Amino acid sequence: MTSFTGIKDTAQQPIPSGFGPQSTAREVIGRRDLTGKVAIVTGGYSGIGLETSRVLAEAGATVIVPVRTPEKAQQALAGIPRLEMETIDLMDPASIDSFAERFLASGRALDILVNSAGIMANPLTREARGYESQFATNHLGHFLLTARLWP
């Protein structure tokens, strides 16, 4: 069977990794030494993002956690080594640009980018450009952040 692009359709096949739904971040990192590596983890102060930040830092990486509400994040991130907190609002392109400019100006290489931040099931709210807030945060914000950090 061929699609309209002329490329043969192929069913997706799982790539056996040895990991599954019960695997922890620590198990996935294993014994990897991330000393000298720099990671940015959006949403790195709650949920799966917090665990990702903690495990990357414990493996030796410097972890930058961009936050929208520093007061909330400080308590959650207390005691995690090699962790830096920066401000960002993923619904605000100017805030994303500012964060990216600060990071790029630091001259550090970006080794790991984890786009984990997200909002869900909030009342209909629109950001300054008119986009629905969940779509703007979870998708457009991360797309812009990744594009700005790409160099």
Side-chain angles (χ1 to χ4, degrees), residues 64-128:
I64 300 166
V65 179
V67 303
R68 185 174 45 156
T69 51
E71 306 78 32
K72 183 179 175 184
Q74 284 174 333
Q75 186 176 22
L77 298 172
I80 299 176
R82 289 173 296 287
L83 195 128
E84 301 173 17
M85 203 169 55
E86 284 278 342
T87 56
I88 195 171
D89 182 346
L90 288 169
M91 279 195 285
D92 179 6
S95 177
I96 296 167
D97 287 342
S98 178
F99 171 84
E101 287 169 11
R102 289 191 310 273
F103 179 80
L104 294 172
S106 76
R108 296 189 280 186
L110 177 58
D111 301 293
I112 303 167
L113 175 61
V114 180
N115 290 326
S116 181
I119 59 175
M120 186 176 154
N122 54 316
L124 178 61
T125 311
R126 297 197 182 275
E127 47 93 88

